[in-house]
Amino acid sequence: MQQQRYRPRLNAGKLNRRITIRKAGRTEDEAGYPIPNPEPVDVCTVWAAREPLRGREYFAADAAQSEITVRYKIRYREGITSDMQLYDHRDDREYQIEAALDDVFGDRAETHLMVSEVSNG
């Protein structure tokens, strides 16, 4: 008889941040001319839990020469890529998505978004 591993479920009560996933807008108009500063297009707006990286995770991210500072957990969602951005409505901050990872159990219950803050400078 095979023993089942304990799998903590995603606690919906901790999904306390409203976030919007955005992708870059069109870079050319209908005639093929470039559009300066294209407006981003909203892909989806979902609830998320925000978790700062700590300890070994932070140092491992730093070794990869990346500014990964925060992890957002959302319900499982396909189609999120590293060329998209995340906007946190609560903090009024924009983050670049560095990686979209499925959870470690692989049961399609949640997606982890590793993000770095977008600077305006």
Side-chain angles (χ1 to χ4, degrees):
M1 184 174 194
Q2 191 176 28
Q3 188 177 18
Q4 294 269 337
R5 288 178 53 185
Y6 173 69
R7 165 61 163 113
R9 303 302 300 171
L10 181 63
N11 184 351
K14 293 186 177 184
L15 302 178
N16 61 357
R17 291 183 175 262
R18 198 73 170 153
I19 63 168
T20 300
I21 308 294
R22 297 176 173 167
K23 66 179 181 178
R26 293 183 34 193
T27 57
E28 294 180 346
D29 62 9
E30 290 79 20
Y33 293 104
I35 298 173
N37 302 322
E39 290 292 319
V41 177
D42 292 352
V43 174
C44 63
T45 300
V46 296
W47 289 98
R50 180 179 170 204
E51 299 176 347
L53 297 179
R54 38 183 205 272
R56 177 177 274 176
E57 291 174 308
Y58 180 77
F59 292 117
D62 191 40
Q65 310 240 338
S66 180
E67 294 288 329
I68 297 175
T69 57
V70 182
R71 172 183 31 225
Y72 283 86
K73 281 186 186 178
I74 62 172
R75 289 186 176 92
Y76 179 77
R77 186 165 196 97
E78 290 183 355
I80 299 175
T81 60
S82 61
D83 62 344
M84 295 180 177
Q85 293 186 336
L86 180 149
Y87 175 72
D88 189 332
H89 294 269
R90 180 191 252 181
D91 293 341
D92 193 30
R93 288 189 177 173
E94 198 160 341
Y95 298 92
Q96 178 64 41
I97 297 175
E98 300 294 334
L101 309 169
D102 291 339
D103 60 355
V104 295
F105 294 98
D107 61 355
R108 295 183 168 196
E110 58 192 49
T111 298
H112 297 223
L113 303 175
M114 309 300 277
V115 300
S116 61
E117 192 163 0
V118 174
S119 63
N120 292 332

